[in-house]
Amino acid sequence: MTRPTAGTPLSRVDGRLKVTGQAAYAAEHDAHGTVRGVVHGVIVTSTVGRGRITGIDTRDAVAQRGVLKVISHLNAPKLPYRPFRGVPDPARGERLRVFQDDRVRFFGQPVAVVVAESLEIAQHAASLVKVAYDGERPATDLSSPAGEANQPENYQRGNVDQALERAHTRLAQTYRLNREHHNPMEPHATIARWEGDRLTVWDKTQIVLNTRGDLATVFGIPEGAVRVISPFVGGAFGSALRAWPHVAIAALAAREVRRPVKVVLTRKQLYTGTGFRPVTEYKLTLGADERGRLTAAVHDIRAETSAYEDYREALMVQGQMVYATPNVRQTYRSIPLDVNTPTWMRGPGAATAAYAIECAMDELAYDLGMDPIELRLRNEPDRDPGTGVPFSTRRLRECFRVGSRTVGWDDRDPRPRSARDGNWLIGTGVAVATYHTQRAPAQALARLDADGTAIVQCATSDMGPGTYTSMTQVAADALGLPVPKVRFQLGDSTMPPSPPHGGSMTMASVGSAVQDTCDKLRRQAIRLAVADPGSPLHGASADDVVVQNGRLHLRDDPERGETYRELLARNNRPHLEARGGYTPGQEVERFSTHAYGAVFAQVAVDERLGLVRIRRVFGVYDAGRIINPKLAESQAIGGMVGGIGMALLEHTVTDPRDGRIVNANMADYLVPVNADVPDVNAIYLNGDDRTADPIGVKGLGEVVIVGVAPAIANAVFHATGRRIRDLPITIEALL
Ligand code: MOS
């Protein structure tokens, strides 16, 4: 048998394209010659955070040679906003209602676009557009909403008040997460071209089909009239899960000037032109008995949204399932503010909730005088405590066992300030990570060509996890072809549909669809062979035929067989083609499926300066089957680095007077650099979860960020005795 490629650390199949600059990112399709005659749009953004535009003077701008048009609400055509797929969805239109009225809803809102022959002319002309406002102070703080409260989300089981009253130990604390931005390397960008009533868009997106739907909605045209192309994405972390106003602006401008238009957001514009992880206040009350078993939990959560859309994320999942707690109450309020709409950012909801829950568990462990891991193990449920259904797999105990052995947890003196290294106080903390396994319907197309190579397609995306590579591996194994003979293609709305490339659902959903499709194609070839009198396999049972290295043969008699090429040539078939897919079934309700991790952090805190240095972060994950260990490790390290940023550095700072983002650049918005991440490692438990999905994975892109920030916060407490309940943990807070 040739060895399957799934499970092996194959290097990225698109790596060479990327390092040689041949991979075309959204803003590069003109330079790569894909689209010609492109002109440039530069967006002018509002300098007040709420109010009305009272005048726009474009005379100097339009007087510049090379300026084609300046578009604002004063001259933009009214956009029809036809309901998406027949379903009215106010959220879809609202976000993309560009230049439709004089209202300013947030600081940095697009108020005009200047279109010119060159980027430089457009930039200069944009600086000459004078906008007058009647501005007011925006509401940018959770304590003073911009409008009426949104309907809260509620959950309840048991009798919380009684249980809290009877609890042996009670703890009530509020944890706060500040706003964070994704800051992908690649800026968001769109090139739009109209040919009559048909629109083609090259976009940075994690889901071409959503962008297609959004544009069809905004322009009131059929989805079939829109094509969205996005072969490469230079990082996104959720920021490209929705189309943002610049996408509609590029398309609107292209229609107005009758030329293809490119709009690239500046780094500064990314802070208001795309979403962000919302400010969240998480008040958590826990009750426990004398043996450390949780008896009650009250989760009171408030998170920001915009005044024009009600964004929510999965903040309530962990509070229901992570620990056996008979009595639970949750309330989640989204607070409308004069900000642009937040959006999913890596581990959305889960990373925030885990920060509160896992810090509170650490506090409770100290209150009870119990080891923090022991406390968690005592609350390990044997069924999902929220739904009562069994877990498909839950190997958290094993994660703890492997992790604590690796980091030497049992040798740790639990007392705060008990370890030091010169001026540095040393602390170790632990936290649990969980992320629910999401699955959604996906389809794929596979074609085997006469030369013995295959092409497999799905309209998914690869923002960095290595989807091109992992799907190639799945396809190669199912087709019985070596990796170089298989090409996986994605990022085009004309391809078979996929769910969003987010929520850690791509491998489960698209991977299962690719496997099904390629299984069908292989079986089709086998059927052709056994029915073909000219084939050495004629008359054999299809079940006895396997394909290896592009050659079909009898399992028990490898000599008897022929290659795909021979089979197709003799049958005069230019290719064989199959369509397949994956639809989640009842297992989604019948089992509780999550990825898990135990995350350990060691920090050093300078006693006099309050500096926090990461010494080590180590995660042990139960994520089901690992299709490519090299990519999985890369995902883990990336997620953990994101968690370090969340814990210690990342904070989008808003000026309350006008809603301006004061650190809208990569010099002032801090993210970890290499020196901040000396020793970051992860391992995955061997195994798979065939209940979760046909391919056996549980998703790993999100879970790897989830427990990192609380593990670090707990380590800071262990080092210093200081409990910081506000992220990021800054020097100021520790002084
Ligand atoms: Mo992500 S927030 O799963 O793109």
Side-chain angles (χ1 to χ4, degrees), residues 416-433:
R417 300 179 71 88
S418 58
R420 90 171 32 239
D421 175 5
N423 289 332
W424 298 90
L425 301 169
I426 310 297
T428 311
V430 71
V432 167

Side-chain angles (χ1 to χ4, degrees), residues 53 63 97 121 145 156 189 243 286 303 308 395 421 567 584 706 714:
I53 303 165
R97 275 180 65 89
I121 295 169
Q156 174 141 14
L286 296 178
Y308 57 95
R395 300 166 68 194
D421 175 5
L567 174 69
V706 172
N714 295 340

